Amino acid sequence: MPEPSSAQNPGEAVGNAGAGGTMDLAATEAETLVPGRGGEPDPGDRPRSLWSDAWHDLRRNPVFVISALIIVFLVVIAIWPQSIASGNPLACDINKSQDGPAPGHPFGYDTQGCDVYTRTVHGARASITVGVCATAGAALLGGLLGALAGFFGGWWDALLSRISDVFFGIPIILGGLVFLSVVTSTTVWPVVGFIVLLGWPQIARIARGSVLTAKQNDYVLAARALGAGSTRILLRHILPNAVAPVIVVATIALGTYISLEATLSFLGVGLRPPTVSWGIDISSASTQIRDAPHMLLWPAGALSVTVLAFIMLGDAVRDALDPKLR
């Protein structure tokens, strides 16, 4: 008969169990107690990341849900205004000047005899386009410059700080009156460019401070000790953990930029006809507020709801991403 192998030798099996076998048996036994298939941990028991944890909180926040639904509705009518207002916002009948609500025209008519409802719906496109594009431009420019200044420091940080101080000293309304008064374009892009020009320093300051904080964390020091380059450390370790404050500030600023566009259009230096804008309609209705208050009520109400929705969304995102509020 063949001799028993070493694995079949009871003495050796006991010896192995006495040395490391006991720990192996304990580990095997522990795996059988962990929920999940094949001894793997249950995905529900794994710790959530900052973003998944924030999304978990946002879905249960009524402020976020309400503001998000309003914003989605505004974005839809900004892209497809014909879905709820099939009329032409530039088609006017002077014989109906300042008339009140009528069948098919629930908001009445303005001074030129244009349908206020149609102009209010179509005005969402210009206002939201300015807000989204200006916020994206300011966030990208300010976030990039602030991240580089916070990461590299030195003369780059000092130069950015001095340039930011110069832009912080320029009043936004006065700067808009000077800068946009010489622009003859009737599109939204001069207004977007002006807002980006004066809006990036605030986001750059936030990004700089966030990068300075993240740069001192242990995982960044460990990556540097292991020989990781500056580009890898900045893109792989610092930016994903420093972008949350920038997103919060940009979300709140979006509503502010929409109101800034309306203010500049009200003063006559922002968007200009034939562009349809809430600011333009508010400006033309302000002189007739006693005789035809409906001309001012609807575009001003749409502007207020839009700005409030974005500010509420920013507050909800801030609460979800701030670990101090947990």
Side-chain angles (χ1 to χ4, degrees), residues 17 55 93 98 117 131 191 209 221:
W55 176 242
D93 185 359
Q98 299 185 14
Y117 171 76
V191 180
L221 301 178

Side-chain angles (χ1 to χ4, degrees), residues 2 78 197 205-206 219 232 256 290 299:
L197 182 64
R205 287 284 181 89
I206 299 298
Y219 56 84
R232 180 180 177 83
T256 304
R290 293 184 178 180

Side-chain angles (χ1 to χ4, degrees), residues 81-315:
Q82 297 83 4
S83 59
I84 63 173
S86 58
N88 185 356
L90 301 179
C92 305
D93 185 359
I94 195 65
N95 295 322
K96 299 179 180 179
S97 176
Q98 299 185 14
D99 286 355
H105 305 277
F107 294 174
Y109 299 87
D110 62 7
T111 304
Q112 301 298 325
C114 302
D115 184 18
V116 176
Y117 171 76
T118 304
R119 290 187 62 86
T120 301
V121 173
H122 283 259
R125 172 175 294 180
S127 297
I128 292 181
T129 300
V130 169
V132 172
C133 294
T135 302
L140 290 176
L141 180 60
L144 176 62
L145 296 179
L148 294 177
F151 184 75
F152 292 105
W155 66 269
W156 177 259
D157 188 14
L159 178 63
L160 180 69
S161 298
R162 301 293 77 78
I163 295 177
S164 300
D165 292 339
V166 172
F167 280 96
F168 276 126
I170 301 177
I172 294 181
I173 301 300
L174 178 60
L177 291 173
V178 174
F179 179 80
L180 295 175
S181 61
V182 298
V183 178
T184 58
S185 175
T186 59
T187 64
V188 301
W189 303 117
V191 180
V192 171
F194 166 74
I195 296 177
V196 172
L197 182 64
L198 292 187
W200 70 265
Q202 178 187 11
I203 297 181
R205 287 284 181 89
I206 299 298
R208 174 184 175 273
S210 183
V211 169
L212 284 175
T213 302
K215 190 170 67 171
Q216 306 301 324
N217 291 329
D218 293 339
Y219 56 84
V220 176
L221 301 178
R224 192 182 300 276
L226 292 174
S230 298
T231 303
R232 180 180 177 83
I233 292 175
L234 181 60
L235 297 179
R236 186 73 178 272
H237 301 285
I238 293 182
L239 289 184
N241 296 281
V243 72
V246 176
I247 293 177
V248 172
V249 173
T251 306
I252 298 177
L254 200 157
T256 304
Y257 294 158
I258 292 177
S259 63
L260 176 60
E261 176 273 319
T263 302
L264 294 174
S265 299
F266 178 84
L267 296 175
V269 295
L271 301 181
R272 297 179 176 90
T275 303
V276 181
S277 168
W278 291 332
I280 295 176
D281 291 347
I282 293 173
S283 177
S284 61
S286 60
T287 58
Q288 306 294 331
I289 188 172
R290 293 184 178 180
D291 299 330
H294 64 276
M295 294 171 48
L296 179 65
L297 175 64
W298 297 110
L303 175 63
S304 301
V305 170
T306 303
V307 174
L308 180 61
F310 279 106
I311 292 178
M312 290 170 57
L313 180 69
D315 289 341

Side-chain angles (χ1 to χ4, degrees), residues 51-85:
W51 300 104
S52 61
D53 199 15
W55 176 242
H56 179 270
D57 293 343
L58 286 174
R59 288 181 300 175
R60 290 159 175 77
N61 189 345
V63 174
F64 171 79
V65 174
I66 294 174
S67 60
L69 291 176
I70 294 174
I71 291 172
V72 169
F73 172 74
L74 292 171
V75 171
V76 169
I77 67 172
I79 299 176
W80 299 289
Q82 297 83 4
S83 59
I84 63 173

